[in-house]
Amino acid sequence: QSALAQPASVSGSPGQSITISCTGTSNDVGAYDFVSWYQQHPGKAPKVMIYDVTNRPSGVSNRFSGSKSGNTASLTISGLQPEDEADYYCTSYTRSTSHLLFGGGTKLTVL
Amino acid sequence: EVKLLESGGGLVQPGGSLRLSCEASGFPLSSFAMSWVRQAPGKGLEWLSGTSVGGGRTYYADSVKGRFTTSRDNSKNTVFLQVNSLRADDTAIYYCAKERSSAWYGRIDYLGQGTLVIVSS
């Protein structure tokens, strides 16, 4: 299957808000509320920031929020901070094959 | 505290095999689905497999189906990934991941630090 579609890069200034989109199909993103977002700093393991579309794991800042409309999920980071600069990946469970799809990743630059 | 510690990576020739291990702690392995994810150098994340507990099926990505096999030993709190017929494009960091529940739905909550596999002659 094709990866979920994410913008290759986004940028913002400290204090601003940015949104990263993740577009799939009615067979994955649109089928279940099993969308997650991962943050990965260079040389580090990925960390889950959002699960089940909108939920934040314990310890994740409330500046991170998730949403979904139809076949597109979104990650919003408000009050950008320099430490938010990282790669972000979305994932979705796929109804037809029970596979997990990853987005291609979005590099966030905090200017 | 949940911890996942992968091991078993290394340099292997094309066509070779490795057995990767993931030692889990801080939670009862027998109660949670587990999966494997990898990341080639400079590339994005790629899901490899997901397994439910209780005799559930294991699902594999098309890119590794027939070559990679997952298993677990709950008594040792360890999951394994047997990787066979390795190719150069299997070179990657391999991460094991814990699911939020016993059923596999890709709802990962923790990943380990990974183990590096390099396939080269």
Side-chain angles (χ1 to χ4, degrees):
Chain A
Q1 290 116 324
S2 300
L4 304 174
Q6 295 183 233
S9 63
V10 298
S11 62
S13 300
Q16 288 186 332
S17 295
I18 62 94
T19 297
I20 300 172
S21 61
C22 171
T23 301
T25 70
S26 59
N27 193 43
D28 38 72
V29 174
Y32 296 98
D33 286 340
F34 291 157
V35 175
S36 297
W37 290 91
Y38 297 65
Q39 176 191 64
Q40 187 179 34
H41 289 107
K44 301 295 187 182
K47 174 186 176 183
V48 178
M49 305 301 283
I50 295 288
Y51 69 94
D52 294 354
V53 179
T54 61
N55 295 311
R56 277 188 310 276
S58 174
V60 172
S61 170
N62 60 9
R63 297 185 299 104
F64 292 82
S65 62
S67 62
K68 189 182 84 167
S69 177
N71 299 333
T72 298
S74 299
L75 171 71
T76 297
I77 309 173
S78 59
L80 272 178
Q81 299 182 358
E83 59 264 33
D84 298 332
E85 185 163 294
D87 293 325
Y88 291 85
Y89 296 89
C90 63
T91 67
S92 176
Y93 179 76
T94 315
R95 175 167 54 184
S96 60
T97 59
S98 296
H99 288 187
L100 181 65
L101 288 183
F102 273 92
T106 298
K107 182 176 180 60
L108 169 62
T109 301
V110 180
L111 303 170
Chain B
E1 179 188 6
V2 170
K3 288 187 178 179
L4 301 168
L5 183 62
E6 301 92 339
S7 61
L11 176 63
V12 60
Q13 292 188 339
S17 298
L18 283 174
R19 190 191 198 200
L20 308 183
S21 300
C22 171
E23 184 177 353
S25 60
F27 67 98
L29 181 63
S30 59
S31 297
F32 291 90
M34 297 293 290
S35 61
W36 288 88
V37 172
R38 71 181 177 184
Q39 186 170 36
K43 302 296 185 182
L45 298 167
E46 177 187 16
W47 171 78
L48 299 178
S49 70
T51 307
S52 301
V53 299
R57 288 182 57 184
T58 296
Y59 301 93
Y60 295 96
D62 293 344
S63 59
V64 304
K65 193 170 185 178
R67 298 189 300 125
F68 290 11
T69 304
T70 66
S71 60
R72 66 165 73 193
D73 184 338
N74 290 330
S75 67
K76 296 182 178 179
N77 284 330
T78 302
V79 294
F80 303 97
L81 181 67
Q82 178 69 38
V83 296
N84 298 330
S85 303
L86 284 165
R87 312 183 298 227
D89 62 358
D90 292 317
T91 294
I93 297 173
Y94 286 72
Y95 298 99
C96 75
K98 171 187 169 292
E99 179 82 356
R100 292 186 173 276
S101 69
S102 61
W104 164 249
Y105 284 114
R107 300 168 70 233
I108 293 168
D109 55 0
Y110 290 96
L111 294 92
Q113 291 302 305
T115 187
L116 176 62
V117 173
I118 300 174
V119 184
S120 175
S121 55

